[in-house]
Amino acid sequence: MRFGFVVPNFLGIEDPLEIVRLGVHAEELGFDSVWVAHHVLNLGYVKKRLGTKPYQDALMTLAWIGSRTSRIQLGTSVLVMPYLHPAVLAKELATLDQLSGGRLVVGLGAGGIREENEALGVEFDRRGQICNEFIQALVELWTDDEASYSGEFFSFDNVCSSPKPLQRPHPLIVIGGNQSAAIKRAARYGGGWHPMVLAPEEVEQRMQALRAEAESCGRPQVARTVQVRLDMSKVDVDSIAAYQEAGVTELVMHVATSDVVKQQSDMDRFAANMRV
């Protein structure tokens, strides 16, 4: 089992360097990966949780952590695709992959805050279709020097996005979400599945649908990378064994507090007890 740590860029911590230090500490402790969360505006449940406190930018935070580490994988848990444009993101992520020496893992999701979609001018009820096109367009931009894509939401013809990612053909894409639409999206377009806060038995149930969909698309390799994001306090030796039995390959864990001292002490305790 691999272990990842989600830095608290989403918890209203005032000093972003404290968040970066936790990411560096994750590498020092031996964690396999470090992750950032993503939203653009403090609206919906984000506003209820934070008010006007900061939610630091995902990619800026991840790039800063990447500049101060050398081994640990760098992941997004997850970028909300409808708030972004694939051409802009293709360049940003390829540059980050180059700068980090090919350590990037790209988690992508549909999001779930209607107010944020409305503020950004995105159709909330069509975000699934937007996401399906987004992934295809992103991959095309990463893999073709004369990239073309024709869809309802994104279209371009014979364009070059450069640089390309260091990882070829591109960094691993994992699709976030627990519902059937996300599972189908992972099977059809992703390289793995990144569900949120599911118990082992819930993972196992949904894995049946993921494997069936992946097999029907001729992409059985998708089911080989399954990363569950959950609260670190819910993880112990028994649960790790249960997740592994369910087919999970990595636990991506957060600590639900804005107290950076407790964040670090919980990381230290987990690393010592689980021999990360």
Side-chain angles (χ1 to χ4, degrees):
M1 178 70 74
R2 289 168 49 88
F3 299 106
F5 178 72
V6 186
V7 296
N9 70 305
F10 58 101
L11 289 178
I13 294 171
E14 295 291 341
D15 184 356
L17 291 178
E18 290 186 328
I19 298 168
V20 172
R21 283 192 284 270
L22 289 171
V24 173
H25 192 56
E27 178 172 88
E28 294 169 346
L29 289 173
F31 281 84
D32 298 289
S33 58
V34 62
W35 301 73
V36 290
H38 173 241
H39 273 286
V40 175
L41 299 170
N42 287 18
L43 289 171
Y45 64 76
V46 173
K47 181 68 176 291
K48 289 178 181 178
R49 184 177 74 234
L50 297 183
T52 60
K53 292 180 180 178
Y55 189 128
Q56 283 83 6
D57 180 74
L59 294 185
M60 290 294 289
T61 303
L62 198 61
W64 206 269
I65 293 171
S67 73
R68 299 191 175 194
T69 56
S70 60
R71 175 197 57 81
I72 199 165
Q73 283 195 312
L74 308 170
T76 59
S77 179
V78 291
L79 297 176
V80 184
M81 288 179 278
Y83 304 161
L84 306 169
H85 191 285
V88 177
L89 189 65
K91 181 178 287 288
E92 292 175 333
L93 293 181
T95 302
L96 181 51
D97 195 51
Q98 289 274 353
L99 287 170
S100 67
R103 291 187 281 145
L104 189 62
V105 179
V106 181
L108 301 172
I113 301 181
R114 182 180 291 274
E115 300 95 323
E116 193 170 13
N117 281 68
E118 291 173 352
L120 295 170
V122 181
E123 296 181 76
F124 182 79
D125 294 327
R126 304 197 69 195
R127 66 194 189 283
Q129 297 98 305
I130 293 171
C131 289
N132 293 343
E133 286 194 13
F134 190 106
I135 302 165
Q136 295 174 78
L138 181 66
V139 170
E140 184 69 19
L141 289 160
W142 274 342
T143 56
D144 196 334
D145 287 335
E146 296 182 354
S148 297
Y149 184 81
S150 179
E152 182 179 354
F153 303 98
F154 306 107
S155 293
F156 46 84
D157 187 48
N158 290 336
V159 301
C160 177
S161 179
S162 185
K164 303 299 186 192
L166 184 62
Q167 298 178 78
R168 296 302 176 92
H170 55 75
L172 175 67
I173 296 173
V174 294
I175 305 302
N178 300 350
Q179 304 306 316
S180 59
I183 292 170
K184 288 180 180 178
R185 188 169 300 117
R188 294 173 183 173
Y189 306 116
W193 179 40
H194 189 92
M196 311 288 181
V197 198
L198 291 179
E201 58 273 17
E202 295 174 312
V203 173
E204 194 165 12
Q205 291 168 1
R206 288 167 172 80
M207 281 292 290
Q208 297 176 18
L210 176 67
R211 290 192 180 101
E213 187 72 26
E215 290 284 352
S216 72
C217 298
R219 306 182 74 239
Q221 73 279 0
V222 172
R224 295 176 195 156
T225 301
V226 179
Q227 306 156 327
V228 176
R229 178 167 166 182
L230 72 168
D231 192 315
M232 185 178 284
S233 67
K234 309 296 184 184
V235 181
D236 56 23
V237 173
D238 291 338
S239 65
I240 291 171
Y243 278 113
Q244 198 157 17
E245 181 67 23
V248 174
T249 57
E250 183 165 4
L251 296 177
V252 176
M253 300 166 290
H254 62 263
V255 177
T257 178
S258 59
D259 183 341
V260 293
V261 174
K262 179 169 171 40
Q263 287 266 346
Q264 182 166 327
S265 64
D266 283 8
M267 292 169 65
D268 291 342
R269 187 178 307 109
F270 181 87
N273 292 341
M274 303 304 166
R275 297 180 182 177
V276 169

